Amino acid sequence: MSRPTLTEHILLSQAAAPHATGELSRILARLSLAGRMISQRILNAGCLGEHGDTGEVNVQGEDVKMLDILSNDIFIRVFDTLSSVAGIASEEMEDIHLYDDWEMGKYFVLFDPLDGSGNIDIDGSLGSIFAVHARPEGDGPITQEDFLQSGKNQVAAGYILYGPATVFVYTAGQGAVSGFTLDRSVGEFFLTHPNMTIPDGGGHYSVNESNQTKWESDVVDLVESYRLGKTGLGKRGARYTGAFVADFHRTLLKGGVFMYPGLKDRPRGKLRYLYEASPLSMIAVRAGGKATDGVRDILDLKPEALHERCPLYVGSKSDVDYVMSRLKG
Ligand code: AFP
């Protein structure tokens, strides 16, 4: 028997939700379209001369790659004709973007169009991350403030991994986490990872250890306990790709913990709350794991700015509990 496609899975989930209108299903279908388009673009980018920088710097002060812009444009375009989406926010855009028929839209989509773009030129793994939020009630014009929502409000969240295979992972409503692998020959995602759960025990610790001189002493001690196998949790090997989606996907499948701690000169660390930490923390929590900024549950935080960052420790529940027991807060 063949596996269910992503489209079938979305429609079955919709049928099981008593008040579903089909709008969220269409958004998820468009996200899968964006994933397929970006995946194809990445495959051909080297041959088409689309590797490398644009020469511009984004709102975060980071070099913008050609594929960052191409991927961002794909996300903008797939929602252009979908009236359910009032507006979008992207890691690559300074401000929110509202569509012409924004008054009809019930949802916002927030995304990091191409995460880990430092891996583009080396043909390493990349990803896209997305979150869907409901537009707050009210007739007034939409403002940036309306996008500054807590992670627990996410209506759907997920990511697309562009590795040797392209994998789409999402959760919607109160649903489980499901993963789908793209069959390029027919352009369809098929269910390969039903009801994903993070193993509690085993796996890896994943952190950029070259930041050690910028960490506070409790973080240095924490990471050292992982390196020396002194956590009491058992051995954890080290893995780090520089692309959060790839490191997170491994953590989801194998267990352990991904960390991007705050730095002395940047106490909130590097990862963006709305486009990175919040959506993948929802996936982790729905899969039985845990996510914290060191003290608080990531999904309880509420950002005050569109591009706000936060420290992040996410993964297996026992590992994240251990992390919290070692940090001073
Ligand atoms: P880019 O998308 O700008 O490459 O950033 C990737 C990222 O936000 C995340 O995917 C990685 O986990 C993290 O940065 C890597 O940062 P370091 O290079 O500082 O370890």
Side-chain angles (χ1 to χ4, degrees), residues 62 114-118 208 240 242-244 258 260 270-272 276:
E62 298 157 346
L114 200 60
D115 174 69
S117 47
N208 185 344
Y240 194 73
F244 180 30
F258 172 90
Y260 208 110
K270 182 178 183 192
L271 301 184
R272 275 61 42 147
E276 296 177 301

Side-chain angles (χ1 to χ4, degrees), residues 21-80:
T21 61
E23 289 178 273
L24 184 58
S25 300
R26 284 195 285 276
I27 293 172
L28 291 166
R30 291 292 172 109
L31 286 163
S32 100
L33 176 62
R36 281 173 284 157
M37 292 169 79
I38 293 170
S39 171
Q40 197 57 35
R41 201 80 199 216
I42 291 169
L43 270 186
N44 297 333
C47 297
L48 294 175
E50 290 173 351
H51 279 178
D53 293 337
T54 57
E56 285 168 22
V57 172
N58 70 8
V59 57
Q60 332 275 343
E62 298 157 346
D63 292 335
V64 179
K65 307 271 182 193
M66 280 186 257
L67 269 182
D68 283 326
I69 299 300
L70 292 166
S71 306
N72 196 55
D73 287 348
I74 286 172
F75 268 95
I76 294 173
R77 273 191 285 127
V78 295
F79 296 115
D80 200 9

Side-chain angles (χ1 to χ4, degrees), residues 4-10 166-170 177-182 188-194 196:
T5 65
L6 174 56
T7 311
E8 287 168 341
H9 188 271
I10 292 169
T166 294
V167 181
F168 186 103
V169 176
Y170 86 104
V177 177
S178 309
F180 304 79
T181 303
L182 180 63
E188 276 281 7
F189 282 104
F190 289 92
L191 181 62
T192 46
H193 299 76
M196 297 175 88

Side-chain angles (χ1 to χ4, degrees), residues 155-214:
V155 178
Y159 63 91
I160 306 152
L161 169 70
Y162 312 108
T166 294
V167 181
F168 186 103
V169 176
Y170 86 104
T171 179
Q174 295 304 312
V177 177
S178 309
F180 304 79
T181 303
L182 180 63
D183 179 339
R184 290 187 190 284
S185 63
V186 290
E188 276 281 7
F189 282 104
F190 289 92
L191 181 62
T192 46
H193 299 76
N195 295 322
M196 297 175 88
T197 52
I198 302 187
D200 206 43
H204 302 90
Y205 76 99
S206 188
V207 66
N208 185 344
E209 300 208 45
S210 74
N211 284 331
Q212 176 159 342
T213 54
K214 297 183 186 168

Side-chain angles (χ1 to χ4, degrees), residues 17 65 93 147 156 259 264:
K65 307 271 182 193
M93 304 190 305
F147 282 71
M259 319 183 221
K264 284 178 188 159

